[in-house]
Amino acid sequence: MDLRNNLKKGLAFITTFIIANALSLAAFAQPVDPGDGDCGTSPDDACQVPLDTWVIVLVAAGLIYGIYHLNKKQKALCA
């Protein structure tokens, strides 16, 4: 039973690590030319803005809390 818990924890850690890396790569998915100073001045301007770093941290914290909460609820149902 202890091996199964360790395996679940390891799998959860690896999954969280992969998701966090994938989200951090999404922030750099749309490169923007830093020489464009007129970004957003006209409605037809196609201004690409990468994701803010703190939004990614917030999503990661939400995922970790969700996993923790569901795991805690599952243990309460089994007892």
Side-chain angles (χ1 to χ4, degrees):
M1 199 62 164
D2 190 34
L3 179 64
R4 179 175 278 178
N5 287 338
N6 287 339
L7 185 62
K8 284 182 182 180
K9 287 180 183 179
L11 185 61
F13 176 76
I14 291 171
T15 304
T16 305
F17 181 75
I18 290 172
I19 290 172
N21 283 329
L23 288 175
S24 67
L25 290 176
F28 301 106
Q30 299 174 346
V32 178
D33 186 17
D36 290 339
D38 61 346
C39 185
T41 55
S42 70
D44 297 330
D45 191 15
C47 182
Q48 299 173 348
V49 180
L51 290 175
D52 188 27
T53 305
W54 293 108
V55 172
I56 295 171
V57 171
L58 183 63
V59 169
L63 285 173
I64 291 169
Y65 176 74
I67 291 169
Y68 168 75
H69 183 69
L70 290 174
N71 191 17
K72 186 176 162 184
K73 194 171 198 175
Q74 183 67 26
K75 284 182 182 179
L77 290 175
C78 291

